[in-house]
């Protein structure tokens, strides 16, 4: 993997000021975070730097304030959650640069942690304004980026700062980059990719990138319907993008040319109405879908065939559920394949990397998220990486 400087490359940091970009964009309810996974992910980096005697200044965005101060989007709102997860007191600093920051650094002792306010309160952040980045950089001795989830944005705190100070990947960033490299950078073949979810249109670039890189492309979810339609299957009332069948055929042709086997389901689970355990539930061959039926999951025969495929593979990358998993029993295929992937991973025969908002929810629902090699909670950044796009925040860290 292209080399990134990590915390292992830092010398003595005692008394130095570390500017650390973290992800504090937590889901909130009643003034408290409902999920602190993102803070837990960055805790090792923050504590390692603090314990080595650095003065740690945390830098993050929170919501979309569009370049203006909003009391409802101050990072001070997550100070309590941060203190609970870290088990330390934190000093909130209501600026990102200037005399208030300078004075606060004077008050912080070595090993103390300060929390700067929402960096998106200033328009220079999203504009990646060099003068703005320089204003922040002036307070720090070095920069650490531990927010992979924001790395697809070329903003001052995610990209600009990396060019102005010695820059390092934090521990969470390092883990994410290693996992992604193992899954699609220089993976052990054969590689299988599962691409599911609702629509082909949201994942065209993902599909185009993957057909040239993986040996098996497994298509499920609503997007399988578009591919089935492209192959001449009547998908009835299923979610299907009929205007994209030419595109789907082009992807199938390209896969053929690059030696990538595309797996579409032979059997599917259908119903006349979209509800939990509907009376009209049937499992049928794809050629037997009635005009008034919807395909809501791939069928058990398809799942069995896919299990056999995974058993021959060394690497799996997964984005998108195979069915409408939020509603029973249309979670069955996703849960079954996820459990097989988890078991193969635990046996040591498969490296499994998954990501995507609904995919993470589906793996949690299946109870196997912690049995995959790596599950990315990064959302947009994970998808752009699956599209094969360079991420500005990652590129800027290359040594
Ligand atoms: P991710 O967030 O992991 O990238 P997507 O947002 O692309 O995943 O897709 C997830 C959504 O796709 C889920 O809400 C799921 O219900 C829906 N979905 C999957 N299969 C079907 C289907 N056959 N018909 C309708 N919706 C589906
Ligand atoms: Mg989604």
């Amino acid at each position: 993997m292209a080399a990134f400087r990590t915390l292992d490359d830092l010398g003595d940091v005692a008394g130095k000021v570390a500017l650390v970009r973290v992800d504090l964009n937590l889901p909130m309810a009643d003034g408290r975070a409902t999920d602190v996974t993102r803070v837990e992910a960055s805790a090792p980096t923050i504590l390692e730097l603090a314990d080595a005697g650095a003065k740690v200044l945390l830098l993050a965005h929170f919501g979309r304030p569009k370049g203006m101060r909003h009391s409802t989007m101050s990072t001070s709102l997550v100070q309590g959650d941060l203190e609970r997860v870290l088990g330390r007191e934190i000093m909130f600093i209501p600026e990102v640069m200037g005399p208030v920051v300078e004075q606060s650094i004077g008050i912080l002792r070595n090993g103390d942690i300060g929390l700067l306010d929402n960096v998106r309160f200033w328009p220079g952040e999203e504009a990646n304004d060099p003068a703005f980045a320089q204003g922040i950089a002036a307070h720090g001795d070095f920069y650490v980026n531990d927010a992979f989830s924001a790395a697809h944005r070329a903003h001052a705190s995610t990209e600009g700062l990396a060019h102005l100070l010695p820059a390092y990947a934090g521990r969470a960033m390092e883990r994410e980059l290693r996992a992604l490299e193992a899954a699609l950078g220089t993976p052990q073949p054969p590689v299988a990719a599962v691409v599911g979810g609702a629509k082909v249109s949201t994942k065209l670039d993902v599909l185009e990138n993957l057909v040239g890189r993986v040996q098996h492309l497994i298509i499920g979810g609503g997007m399988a319907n578009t591919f089935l339609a492209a192959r001449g299957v009547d998908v009835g009332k299923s979610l299907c993008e009929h205007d994209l069948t030419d595109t789907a055929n082009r992807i199938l042709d390209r896969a053929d040319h690059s030696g990538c086997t595309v797996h579409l389901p032979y059997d599917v689970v259908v119903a006349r109405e979209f509800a939990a355990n509907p009376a009209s539930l049937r499992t049928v061959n794809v050629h037997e879908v009635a005009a008034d039926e919807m395909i809501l999951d791939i069928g058990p025969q398809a799942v069995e065939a896919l299990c056999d495929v995974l058993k021959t593979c060394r690497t799996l990358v997964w984005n998108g559920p195979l069915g409408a998993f939020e509603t029973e029993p249309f979670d069955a295929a996703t849960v079954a394949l996820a459990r097989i992937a988890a078991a193969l991973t635990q046996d040591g025969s498969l490296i499994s990397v998954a990501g995507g908002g609904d995919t993470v929810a589906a793996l949690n629902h299946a109870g196997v998220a912690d049995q995959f090699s790596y599950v990315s909670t990064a959302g947009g950044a994970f998808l752009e990486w699956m599209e094969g796009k360079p991420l500005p925040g990652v590129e800027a860290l290359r040594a």
Side-chain angles (χ1 to χ4, degrees):
M1 145 160 104
F4 297 92
R5 275 189 298 260
T6 70
L7 301 191
D8 296 326
D9 301 306
L10 277 166
D12 179 15
V13 298
K16 292 201 175 148
V17 177
L19 284 166
V20 184
R21 180 59 161 95
V22 289
D23 184 350
L24 298 181
N25 207 20
L26 310 181
M28 305 289 288
D30 303 326
R32 261 190 86 137
T34 53
D35 180 359
V36 293
T37 313
R38 291 173 164 186
V39 176
E40 285 166 353
S42 276
T45 295
I46 298 167
L47 293 175
E48 181 174 341
L49 290 167
D51 291 344
K55 297 182 179 187
V56 180
L57 291 187
L58 303 178
L59 190 57
H61 77 273
F62 187 49
R64 296 175 179 267
K66 299 259 151 65
M68 282 174 21
R69 271 190 196 273
H70 281 275
S71 56
T72 57
M73 289 182 236
S74 169
T75 55
S76 62
L77 297 173
V78 294
Q79 180 180 1
D81 293 300
L82 205 48
E83 290 183 329
R84 263 190 297 282
V85 171
L86 295 173
R88 306 268 169 103
E89 268 182 42
I90 291 170
M91 177 196 267
F92 174 68
I93 305 167
E95 298 287 342
V96 291
M97 68 177 80
V100 171
V101 174
E102 205 47 51
Q103 283 157 22
S104 302
I105 291 170
I107 295 167
L108 291 174
R109 294 156 307 177
N110 292 0
D112 281 352
I113 302 164
L115 172 61
L116 300 172
D117 213 339
N118 188 345
V119 68
R120 287 195 188 164
F121 282 172
W122 291 270
E125 164 67 358
E126 294 187 63
N128 201 2
D129 174 2
F132 177 72
Q134 188 55 58
I136 300 174
H139 297 289
D141 294 301
F142 61 97
Y143 166 76
V144 175
N145 190 347
D146 213 26
F148 177 82
S149 57
H152 56 316
R153 314 265 188 227
H155 294 172
S157 71
T158 61
E159 201 265 352
L161 281 177
H163 299 295
L164 298 172
L165 289 170
Y168 303 86
R171 296 301 182 198
M173 174 73 87
E174 186 186 343
R175 238 168 73 75
E176 182 107 23
L177 294 177
R178 272 190 216 290
L180 299 189
E181 179 68 15
L184 273 188
T186 49
Q188 293 183 40
V191 184
V194 173
V195 183
K199 289 182 171 182
V200 171
S201 52
T202 60
K203 295 186 181 173
L204 269 182
D205 292 341
V206 171
L207 293 165
E208 305 252 11
N209 181 41
L210 290 176
V211 287
R213 287 174 173 249
V214 304
Q215 286 72 48
H216 295 277
L217 178 61
I218 295 166
I219 300 180
M223 68 172 64
N225 304 339
T226 301
F227 278 87
L228 290 170
R231 288 251 170 114
V233 171
D234 185 349
V235 297
K237 276 203 310 166
S238 304
L239 175 64
C240 178
E241 292 168 289
H242 290 282
D243 53 325
L244 286 179
T245 49
D246 286 347
T247 306
N249 275 319
R250 199 182 69 231
I251 291 168
L252 292 172
D253 283 346
R254 185 161 327 161
D256 232 17
H257 282 112
S258 44
C260 168
T261 307
V262 177
H263 301 269
L264 290 171
Y266 328 113
D267 60 338
V268 287
V269 180
V270 297
R272 282 202 299 274
E273 66 279 5
F274 183 28
N277 304 303
S280 59
L281 189 74
R282 299 200 301 146
T283 298
V284 297
N285 181 283
V286 291
H287 295 289
E288 292 163 0
V289 179
D292 62 349
E293 287 179 322
M294 282 174 280
I295 301 172
L296 291 164
D297 198 9
I298 69 169
Q301 278 186 50
V303 171
E304 223 179 285
L306 295 177
C307 289
D308 289 340
V309 172
L310 291 194
K311 283 177 190 155
T312 68
C313 290
R314 300 300 314 268
T315 306
L316 167 68
V317 49
W318 185 333
N319 169 256
L322 300 175
F325 76 99
E326 301 92 337
T327 309
E328 279 185 20
F330 309 112
D331 58 340
T334 305
V335 168
L337 198 67
R339 290 192 176 150
I340 290 288
L344 293 170
T345 306
Q346 294 301 309
D347 288 350
S349 72
L350 190 69
I351 292 171
S352 54
V353 174
D358 293 295
T359 308
V360 176
L363 295 183
N364 282 323
H365 170 70
V368 296
D370 57 347
Q371 296 162 42
F372 271 53
S373 309
Y374 191 79
V375 175
S376 174
T377 56
F382 181 83
L383 267 187
E384 287 199 24
W385 166 79
M386 276 192 80
E387 291 168 357
K389 296 194 179 132
L391 307 183
V394 171
E395 294 307 309
L397 288 179
R398 289 188 194 278

